[in-house]
Amino acid sequence: QVQLVESGGGLVNPGGSLRLSCAASGFVFLGYVMTWYRQAPGKEREFVAAIAGVSPRTTYADSVKGRFTISRDSAETTAYLQMDSLTPEDTAVYSCNARHGGTSYWGQGTQVTVAS
């Protein structure tokens, strides 16, 4: 059974940090591009960051470049999103996606709230 389970969300002060995890199971993790998306209340879902399946190539949205770092651990079949220098504008539900060709899996999302 395919599963993507996000964790690590929560409430953090502006300027703080969080590390999100996306634990994958039920498919060949190495071959999938792992992507983090987020959706704030009343807004469309937007791309945050992606990491390729085999190569370490990463891509970031301009809004998070320099503050967020995406990584993956193939041994643990987990993708991570390290988020630093958080601002209230980063408040959203963060979801991870695994994609290989026409196959795409989604996690349930984890809430991140940045507020003082």
Side-chain angles (χ1 to χ4, degrees), residues 5-10 17-23 36-38 48 68-71 78-83 86 90 92-96 109-113:
V5 180
E6 298 99 332
S7 61
S17 297
L18 282 175
R19 188 194 195 203
L20 305 183
S21 300
C22 173
W36 285 95
Y37 292 85
R38 67 185 182 186
V48 176
F68 290 11
T69 303
I70 189 171
S71 62
T78 301
Y80 301 97
L81 186 68
Q82 176 67 41
M83 306 186 297
L86 286 161
D90 295 316
V93 175
Y94 285 70
S95 300
C96 69
T110 185
Q111 176 70 48
V112 171
T113 303

Side-chain angles (χ1 to χ4, degrees), residues 63-102:
S63 59
V64 307
K65 204 171 292 184
R67 300 188 299 123
F68 290 11
T69 303
I70 189 171
S71 62
R72 62 192 294 158
D73 185 325
S74 293
E76 297 182 358
T77 63
T78 301
Y80 301 97
L81 186 68
Q82 176 67 41
M83 306 186 297
D84 299 316
S85 302
L86 286 161
T87 73
E89 288 68 38
D90 295 316
T91 294
V93 175
Y94 285 70
S95 300
C96 69
N97 171 269
R99 177 176 52 82
H100 177 71

Side-chain angles (χ1 to χ4, degrees), residues 5-56:
V5 180
E6 298 99 332
S7 61
L11 174 64
V12 63
N13 290 329
S17 297
L18 282 175
R19 188 194 195 203
L20 305 183
S21 300
C22 173
S25 60
F27 60 96
V28 181
F29 182 74
L30 185 61
Y32 283 68
V33 175
M34 299 300 296
T35 305
W36 285 95
Y37 292 85
R38 67 185 182 186
Q39 186 166 20
K43 294 187 176 182
E44 297 282 323
R45 183 168 61 198
E46 64 173 353
F47 166 82
V48 176
I51 186 166
V54 178
S55 77

